[in-house]
Amino acid sequence: MHGFSLCAWDLATVERSEAGSVRALAISAHPAGAIVETCQRVEAYTWGSSCNCRADRRLQGFDALLHLAAVAAGLESAVLGEAQVDLCPAVYDLAR
């Protein structure tokens, strides 16, 4: 899993009007990444690239993969098991 990484921004402390700028920052810092958005956070998953963005949280390798699996399963949701995150297609496209 070397080269797989996550940069995440917490939206819980951001004004609703600023959420779009957080998303724009994630996209500009990770143009080839898979961007995942929930009501709680914006996440950018990348493969083989590094960045200097000001993410609130960063994970690398297996830790990033475990977090992705937890998000996909709804374990990181405000409501346990929530199925509102449709991230698998975006991450699959990244892996191809």
Side-chain angles (χ1 to χ4, degrees):
M1 292 302 340
H2 182 68
F4 187 67
S5 64
L6 159 72
C7 293
W9 293 262
D10 183 14
L11 295 180
T13 59
V14 174
E15 293 292 327
R16 186 176 200 92
S17 60
E18 296 176 24
S21 63
V22 173
R23 181 179 190 276
L25 171 67
I27 291 170
S28 67
H30 307 280
I35 306 299
V36 175
E37 295 180 72
T38 71
C39 58
Q40 302 284 328
R41 64 193 162 276
V42 174
E43 300 180 343
Y45 292 89
T46 58
W47 188 271
S49 63
S50 61
C51 73
N52 294 320
C53 69
R54 291 190 231 161
D56 297 326
R57 182 177 185 193
R58 295 173 189 267
L59 296 174
Q60 301 288 322
F62 193 67
D63 291 334
L65 180 63
L66 284 177
H67 178 78
L68 173 61
V71 171
L75 300 177
E76 297 288 327
S77 297
V79 176
L80 188 62
E82 184 178 38
Q84 301 267 334
V85 181
D86 187 21
L87 62 89
C88 295
V91 176
Y92 175 77
D93 289 343
L94 175 66
R96 289 193 302 162

